[in-house]
Amino acid sequence: MTFTVAIIGRPNVGKSTLFNRLVGKKLALVDDQPGVTRDLREGAARLADLRFKVIDTAGLEDATDESLQGRMRKLTERAIGMADVSLFMFDARTGITATDAALADLLRKREAPVILLANKAEGNAGSSGALEGYSLGLGDPVQLSAEHGEGMHDLYLRLMPLLDAHEPVEAEGDIDVDVDVDLDTDGEGNTGAGLRPGRPIQIAVVGRPNAGKSTLINKILGEDRLLTGPEAGITRDSISLEIDWDGQPFRIFDTAGMRKKARVQEKLEKLSVSDGLRAVKFAEVVVITLDVTSPFDQQDLRLADLAEREGRAVVVAVNKWDLETDKSNTARRLREDFARLLPQLSGAPLVLVSGLTGQGLDKLRAAILSAYKVWNARIPTAQLNQWLAGEVAAHPPPAPGGRRIKLRYMTQAKTRPPGFVVFASIPEAVPTAYKRFLVNGLRRDFDLPGTPIRLFLRGGKNPYEGKKVKQMSALDKHKKPRRGPE
């Protein structure tokens, strides 16, 4: 069973900075503005030889109602209940505040141990403020600087006995393997084709603000794990969650709502959008979430185009379907608009769902698995060349300037997404329209709907290219070659 550590404290005391240091990556957004973190973010932490799960939480405030701050507090209290130990952090430069004292009272009521952290304790001002931590009655404060890495050894000494008491004795022959890499890749950066037992499929859920992404993921999880509400832009950074969805493991990334670039002015929103774009690049399947009340907005089309350019499998989920009254006509119009506005994703699954009621979730799961399977498709070379010969015979490429283009050979060079190489006599002369014709034919004849397809043209190498050819005189041409001894 994994040992879990939750970092608790009021806003802007440095919780996310410590979280990033423990996981060894800049996963959580960090900014001087208070209240940047809103959801619970989990990560695999390392501290010397200690391995544990760490949870970054929102800053605890006094609000207990159904306001945004109140809902954030409930999520943080839930993290405290999940944790084996809480790291209660306060700002040593500010000293103990009334909010810190109230949070200490809350933590004392819990059975799990609490380690008091005096962050920003570097320098004389920090050292004197750290001494105020004794007034909370939670033991000796650990003085550290999460930003500069000071005091981490003292934190290690406090955590080590707790982990030792928690760790079960491993049976003989058990091997503890620590894995850093999420994706198994080959030499070209492609992961192996097909589903792998126990390996989660990476999914990024993207969309405009208030499209219902977090609500949809909560319904998939079966619990209110992500912060939701009527306010637009609640989610600020990409939250990664691992789940078992009807026997298939998934890692789902909930991303911040992405607006038009011209409207993104604040530094924090720019960081949130960058975090979401990074999630798309590392995903395998991108679920583009549309609001049924305003589908296929210009920003939705940009997100779909981004996923296609990044070579990700795409599933379009039209959310809030429970609000629609004229379902049959709306569904028909949505599919027509999809085919017209996103021809580069022709055949990609479009699923009608409701994150509030759970309608269509089984179809969404099936669509994700189908898109993932197509994204991993591999076609034998013999079938490709037989198909290419038929296409060229029926629709030969044009002959620019009277030069005939020969398409000699075709093979699949990669998967994820499928990539094909065609060897041609004059590759640079093949028009873009003919390349598109071949791509559409591959989709149609090999059942590759929706997934991005990459088609590359290569030319045969000239064996005399770059070599000096000896000029033969007219007399040399008529000389008989010398015969060797018989």
Side-chain angles (χ1 to χ4, degrees):
M1 187 176 180
T2 305
F3 188 82
T4 304
V5 176
I7 307 175
I8 312 297
R10 58 184 176 82
N12 212 30
V13 296
K15 300 183 297 297
S16 295
T17 303
L18 178 61
F19 174 86
N20 287 340
R21 181 165 292 279
L22 289 174
V23 300
K25 305 174 185 177
K26 291 185 178 180
L27 293 182
L29 294 182
V30 177
D31 193 72
D32 293 336
Q33 176 182 335
V36 172
T37 302
R38 289 177 172 175
D39 283 293
L40 304 182
R41 177 187 282 278
E42 300 178 1
R46 294 184 177 191
L47 187 58
D49 59 335
L50 303 182
R51 303 290 184 270
F52 52 92
K53 181 170 73 174
V54 62
I55 304 176
D56 185 23
T57 65
L60 271 172
E61 301 189 54
D62 293 333
T64 56
D65 55 10
E66 288 303 315
S67 64
L68 177 59
Q69 288 74 21
R71 300 197 303 273
M72 290 164 58
R73 180 187 177 98
K74 289 179 182 178
L75 271 182
T76 301
E77 289 179 350
R78 180 180 174 185
I80 296 173
M82 295 164 51
D84 297 297
V85 60
S86 296
L87 303 181
F88 178 35
M89 178 180 287
F90 70 95
D91 188 335
R93 294 184 178 272
T94 304
I96 299 301
T97 66
T99 304
D100 292 322
L103 299 181
D105 292 337
L106 174 67
L107 290 171
R108 275 196 295 268
K109 297 176 183 178
R110 309 284 173 167
E111 296 181 0
V114 178
I115 298 176
L116 186 62
L117 304 181
N119 192 29
K120 309 179 186 178
E122 66 274 19
N124 294 330
S127 298
S128 60
L131 298 177
E132 296 184 22
Y134 286 99
S135 64
L136 297 176
L138 293 174
D140 298 337
V142 176
Q143 299 186 38
L144 55 80
S145 170
E147 184 174 0
H148 300 102
E150 298 177 9
M152 302 305 291
H153 179 68
D154 295 331
L155 177 59
Y156 168 84
L157 294 178
R158 297 285 289 275
L159 281 173
M160 182 176 60
L162 298 174
L163 265 77
D164 289 344
H166 179 271
E167 284 294 330
V169 179
E170 292 185 358
E172 186 177 353
D174 285 355
I175 301 176
D176 182 19
V177 180
D178 187 33
V179 180
D180 288 335
V181 182
D182 290 336
L183 302 178
D184 296 328
T185 58
D186 59 21
E188 297 182 351
N190 304 310
T191 52
L195 297 176
R196 296 183 181 179
R199 182 186 177 281
I201 300 175
Q202 318 279 332
I203 303 172
V205 181
V206 302
R208 289 180 288 132
N210 216 25
K213 300 180 293 298
S214 298
T215 303
L216 179 63
I217 295 175
N218 278 342
K219 184 60 68 172
I220 294 173
L221 296 172
E223 58 181 346
D224 292 334
R225 174 64 176 75
L226 299 170
L227 189 64
T228 61
E231 304 91 346
I234 290 179
T235 303
R236 280 182 167 168
D237 50 5
S238 299
I239 305 299
S240 169
L241 301 167
E242 285 201 25
I243 65 166
D244 185 284
W245 191 0
D246 294 340
Q248 171 62 46
F250 291 87
R251 179 179 285 121
I252 302 180
F253 292 86
D254 183 26
T255 64
M258 301 182 194
R259 300 190 299 164
K260 293 181 180 179
K261 188 174 181 180
R263 296 182 181 177
V264 179
Q265 301 294 335
E266 296 182 4
K267 173 188 173 185
L268 183 56
E269 187 173 1
K270 290 180 180 179
L271 292 174
S272 299
V273 171
S274 298
D275 207 27
L277 296 177
R278 186 165 58 250
V280 170
K281 293 179 181 180
F282 282 96
E284 296 168 320
V285 180
V286 175
V287 178
I288 299 173
T289 310
L290 310 183
D291 187 335
V292 72
T293 60
S294 57
F296 296 111
D297 181 88
Q298 195 67 29
Q299 186 64 3
D300 297 327
L301 302 181
R302 288 194 181 98
L303 289 173
D305 188 58
L306 169 68
E308 195 277 336
R309 283 187 281 109
E310 290 294 336
R312 308 300 116 188
V314 174
V315 173
V316 177
V318 182
N319 196 19
K320 305 182 183 180
W321 189 241
D322 54 298
L323 301 178
E324 183 56 46
T325 54
D326 189 7
K327 296 186 184 298
S328 59
N329 287 329
T330 302
R332 175 180 51 78
R333 188 180 70 252
L334 285 169
R335 290 187 168 87
E336 290 175 353
D337 291 344
F338 183 31
R340 176 174 55 85
L341 297 172
L342 293 170
Q344 69 271 36
L345 294 175
S346 175
L350 185 144
V351 188
L352 310 174
V353 299
S354 169
L356 190 63
T357 66
Q359 178 184 354
L361 290 189
D362 53 342
K363 295 180 180 178
L364 177 61
R365 179 184 180 277
I368 292 172
L369 292 177
S370 175
Y372 182 79
K373 181 180 178 181
V374 172
W375 193 60
N376 283 277
R378 181 169 289 280
I379 303 170
T381 300
Q383 292 184 24
L384 285 173
N385 283 283
Q386 185 178 5
W387 172 84
L388 180 64
E391 292 295 292
V392 171
H395 303 281
R403 297 184 303 170
R404 182 184 169 197
I405 300 175
K406 295 181 180 179
L407 303 183
R408 298 190 176 103
Y409 182 76
M410 185 176 187
T411 186
Q412 184 171 357
K414 62 187 287 292
T415 60
R416 308 165 68 91
F420 303 90
V421 177
V422 176
F423 293 90
S425 58
I426 318 172
E428 65 277 5
V430 178
T432 302
Y434 196 79
K435 296 177 189 176
R436 194 180 306 119
F437 162 75
L438 294 176
V439 168
N440 291 335
L442 288 168
R443 287 192 194 281
R444 178 191 66 243
D445 296 333
F446 293 103
D447 195 19
L448 301 174
T451 190
I453 293 177
R454 305 293 187 246
L455 184 67
F456 307 96
L457 291 167
R458 297 286 183 268
K461 186 177 180 182
N462 183 351
Y464 296 104
E465 186 178 353
K467 294 183 179 180
K468 210 170 195 180
V469 181
K470 182 181 177 182
Q471 295 292 331
M472 297 179 66
S473 65
L475 183 61
D476 290 333
K477 292 180 182 179
H478 296 288
K479 284 183 178 179
K480 294 184 180 179
R482 294 180 60 184
R483 301 178 64 181
E486 298 181 359

